[in-house]
Amino acid sequence: MLVYNTLTRKKEEFKPINPPNVTMYVCGPTVYDYFHIGNARSFIMADIIRRHLIFKEYNVTFVMNLTDIDDKIINKSIEEKIDSSKVSQKYVASFFEDIEKLKIKKADVYPKATEHMDEIISLIKNLEEKKLAYNSDGNLFFRVKEFKNYGLLSGKNTDDLELGSRVEVNEQKENPLDFSLWKKAKAGEPYWDSPWGKGRPGWHTECSAMSVKHLGKTIDIHAGGNDLIFPHHENEIAQSEGCFESKFVNYWMHFGFLNFQDEKMSKSLGNFFTARDILKKYSAEAIRLFFCQTHYSGPLAFSEELIASSEKGLEKISNFVEFINSKSSYGESEGVECSFDFDFFLSRFVTAMDDDFNTPQAVAAIFNFIKSANKYAVENPKLNSDFFVKAGEFIQKTAGDVLGIADFKQTNKIDQTLSHDLVNLLIEIRQKAKVEKNYSLADEIRDKLNSFGISLKDSKEGTTFKIS
Ligand code: AMP
Ligand code: ZN
């Protein structure tokens, strides 16, 4: 399996540290508002990468942090005149609601910054002891010039960076490149006690502290949007490798931006739609398919037309699922043995996903499969159920388990709910027939249902049914 590594700028063979285990850390949201559909692109692509690794029989431990203390949260709490913890609680809850609607698998752990103060403080203390951090009136900064690999991930050179940041005046810093590890509390701000006085952690520090706590010093994959390469991930490397003196991450993966009006969709520019608003108009599957049609690393322009046309594409999958569902309930042994080459189509899908998670090609493999399988079924009308069972398994594995754009089990569930509703409707009609003394119709309904294997039981409380 090949994975593009931002650090080495090339596709590399994926070799986990401790196979079949894989450790994966993805930078999660700052919980001060509903997340937008641009954030959703990063969350969904991370979910698909994880799902494919699971499909490849890796045992993935997936961690996504929740930044629950930050300037933006504090500003919101001032704006809304509520405690900052109330702001983060509200948006943590909305985050979980929205990712569930987007069919994103839950992480194994969602560590919160506010619940890892001891780990964060001990990381900063370690850096201070190594002279990689300094205290400036209760504010702690990382001494960038002391970390020789600074700039490797983003390809930035510290001299150029220094030139670029000369304008920034911060009397507390020794060098404008130095970044904040711990911020001294200002009046009225939430704070935690520390060896340097009351304050709160810097954003970068939480990820280094929580990654090592939950996944160990060196992890397999660390991912996030392109905007996080610099400074966030560059700073994480400096902190973690400075502190633990071992390689922090083997594969750095970054997601391209979802753009709108030719710019990165972002809260600050105001050019965004919340994921929950988009979900009011389109299904999660259509949103996911829209994202899958572009490689995760490239830019993508937000387009409602394309999401709407994804909805049409999904119809092809659901029509096919309906078709195989209607056939697979037939008797096993009747009909003709199938010679359809499922492995050929599955290997096309897997080859695409194995090549740095090439979802556009993987999607094409699914649609090609549907086209060929449909044609095969039309040309071979007397197929036995084996073909339909295998076709169902193909869709479940590829479109279902890996891409999350179809849910075969869910379709079965819908079919079940529908048949229950229909039986209940017939029971109601039978009840009405009895009230109207139309006993022959009432009996006919009972007998017909019986012939389908559905038996009715009348009691004082009403009529119930059992499917045999
Ligand atoms: P934030 O809450 O801003 O820290 O963002 C959460 C995640 O969404 C991070 O991985 C960001 O890199 C990612 N992200 C933010 N904006 C976009 C965008 N327009 N397109 C894709 N990913 C984004
Ligand atoms: Zn992070």
Side-chain angles (χ1 to χ4, degrees):
M1 214 173 90
L2 294 174
V3 174
Y4 181 83
N5 188 351
T6 311
L7 185 66
T8 57
R9 289 162 187 75
K10 53 178 193 265
K11 277 191 207 174
E12 292 173 10
E13 187 61 38
F14 182 61
K15 290 193 192 125
I17 303 161
N18 184 22
N21 300 320
V22 170
T23 46
M24 184 167 176
Y25 185 101
V26 181
C27 293
T30 305
V31 281
Y32 72 104
D33 211 336
Y34 301 115
F35 66 82
H36 59 67
I37 194 74
N39 302 128
R41 182 183 184 203
S42 285
F43 301 152
I44 287 174
M45 295 326 281
D47 178 55
I48 290 174
I49 290 168
R50 175 196 191 187
R51 284 162 173 257
H52 185 59
L53 291 169
I54 295 171
F55 172 80
K56 300 280 294 180
E57 297 185 346
Y58 286 114
N59 176 18
V60 186
T61 308
F62 185 97
V63 174
M64 179 177 271
N65 68 301
L66 301 172
T67 302
D68 63 345
I69 186 67
D70 173 89
D71 289 343
K72 289 173 191 151
I73 297 174
I74 294 173
N75 290 342
K76 187 92 171 202
S77 86
I78 296 167
E79 234 171 70
E80 297 198 350
K81 298 190 179 60
I82 51 169
D83 198 76
S84 64
S85 64
K86 290 270 174 308
V87 173
S88 62
Q89 272 162 27
K90 175 176 169 187
Y91 293 107
V92 165
S94 70
F95 168 76
F96 285 130
E97 283 165 18
D98 293 349
I99 59 159
E100 191 182 345
K101 284 193 211 129
L102 287 167
K103 311 277 162 85
I104 294 174
K105 265 183 190 304
K106 274 196 125 187
D108 296 294
V109 195
Y110 286 105
K112 292 179 182 154
T114 57
E115 290 169 5
H116 291 75
M117 286 303 159
D118 290 348
E119 291 82 358
I120 292 169
I121 289 169
S122 90
L123 185 135
I124 303 173
K125 260 166 68 182
N126 181 307
L127 293 173
E128 200 184 14
E129 280 156 21
K130 292 194 170 113
K131 308 265 181 287
L132 283 167
Y134 58 92
N135 181 352
S136 181
D137 186 30
N139 291 289
L140 274 283
F141 294 99
F142 189 93
R143 212 172 248 132
V144 166
K145 280 286 195 183
E146 290 300 311
F147 183 72
K148 68 171 182 358
N149 284 342
Y150 197 83
L152 277 190
L153 179 74
S154 54
K156 290 183 195 290
N157 164 310
T158 44
D159 293 334
D160 294 347
L161 280 170
E162 245 178 292
L163 275 176
S165 58
R166 264 193 320 202
V167 276
E168 190 205 343
V169 184
N170 186 337
E171 310 248 298
Q172 291 170 328
K173 291 189 192 180
E174 290 175 1
N175 182 309
L177 289 190
D178 296 347
F179 60 87
S180 185
L181 298 167
W182 185 263
K183 296 178 177 184
K184 183 178 172 174
K186 296 192 189 112
E189 278 185 359
Y191 63 80
W192 285 261
D193 288 319
S194 81
W196 318 285
K198 297 179 192 319
R200 61 189 163 91
W203 168 41
H204 317 300
T205 323
E206 65 177 88
C207 281
S208 286
M210 299 195 291
S211 178
V212 66
K213 161 99 191 274
H214 296 283
L215 298 172
K217 287 180 187 165
T218 307
I219 65 166
D220 293 307
I221 300 173
H222 192 123
N226 270 340
D227 53 338
L228 302 188
I229 299 175
F230 188 85
H232 186 54
H233 289 160
E234 196 72 70
N235 293 353
E236 280 186 38
I237 296 175
Q239 297 162 150
S240 297
E241 298 193 357
C243 178
F244 302 112
E245 296 173 35
S246 46
K247 194 171 182 196
F248 176 38
V249 171
N250 282 340
Y251 301 89
W252 281 97
M253 299 187 70
H254 290 97
F255 309 114
F257 293 144
L258 182 72
N259 296 323
F260 186 54
Q261 294 163 337
D262 296 325
E263 280 187 282
K264 175 198 163 200
M265 187 181 279
S266 75
K267 279 266 152 62
S268 53
L269 290 174
N271 61 342
F272 69 92
F273 298 98
T274 61
R276 54 177 52 199
D277 278 346
I278 298 300
L279 276 162
K280 283 179 195 151
K281 292 203 215 162
Y282 305 100
S283 68
E285 287 81 2
I287 295 168
R288 294 178 73 106
L289 178 56
F290 164 63
F291 290 149
C292 283
Q293 277 158 337
T294 298
H295 190 258
Y296 75 80
S297 62
L300 171 63
F302 176 76
S303 153
E304 288 211 36
E305 290 76 45
L306 287 181
I307 304 181
S309 77
S310 296
E311 210 83 78
K312 288 259 171 303
L314 289 173
E315 272 174 31
K316 282 191 197 147
I317 305 182
S318 56
N319 287 343
F320 183 69
V321 168
E322 253 170 55
F323 170 61
I324 48 186
N325 268 347
S326 69
K327 300 280 183 179
S328 53
S329 53
Y330 286 163
E332 280 244 321
S333 48
E334 297 154 32
V336 181
E337 200 66 43
C338 94
S339 60
F340 189 81
D341 195 352
F342 287 97
D343 289 345
F344 168 78
F345 289 94
L346 190 62
S347 85
R348 274 185 164 188
F349 175 85
V350 176
T351 305
M353 289 303 286
D354 280 358
D355 181 14
D356 193 29
F357 309 96
N358 192 329
T359 52
Q361 275 180 22
V363 166
I366 295 174
F367 285 109
N368 277 333
F369 162 77
I370 291 178
K371 209 168 140 198
S372 304
N374 261 326
K375 189 163 170 270
Y376 183 82
V378 170
E379 285 167 359
N380 298 278
K382 290 199 177 116
L383 286 170
N384 71 16
S385 64
D386 190 44
F387 171 82
F388 300 101
V389 170
K390 283 190 177 145
E393 282 168 4
F394 180 96
I395 295 293
Q396 182 56 45
K397 276 187 199 157
T398 57
D401 297 344
V402 178
L403 300 184
I405 56 171
D407 197 336
F408 197 62
K409 290 178 209 138
Q410 185 64 22
T411 317
N412 281 336
K413 225 191 287 164
I414 292 170
D415 280 357
Q416 244 179 41
T417 318
L418 191 65
S419 31
H420 278 229
D421 288 349
L422 289 174
V423 175
N424 281 326
L425 179 67
L426 286 168
I427 291 173
E428 254 174 57
I429 296 172
R430 177 172 170 261
Q431 195 50 36
K432 278 197 184 134
K434 278 199 205 165
V435 171
E436 286 162 13
K437 298 202 167 27
N438 188 348
Y439 297 112
S440 66
L441 177 62
D443 289 347
E444 195 182 332
I445 291 174
R446 191 197 52 219
D447 295 344
K448 279 265 161 66
L449 285 173
N450 226 340
S451 72
F452 303 143
I454 301 167
S455 55
L456 301 187
K457 190 169 168 229
D458 296 316
S459 71
K460 267 190 277 162
E461 286 79 36
T463 306
T464 53
F465 70 90
K466 220 166 118 186
I467 305 176
S468 61

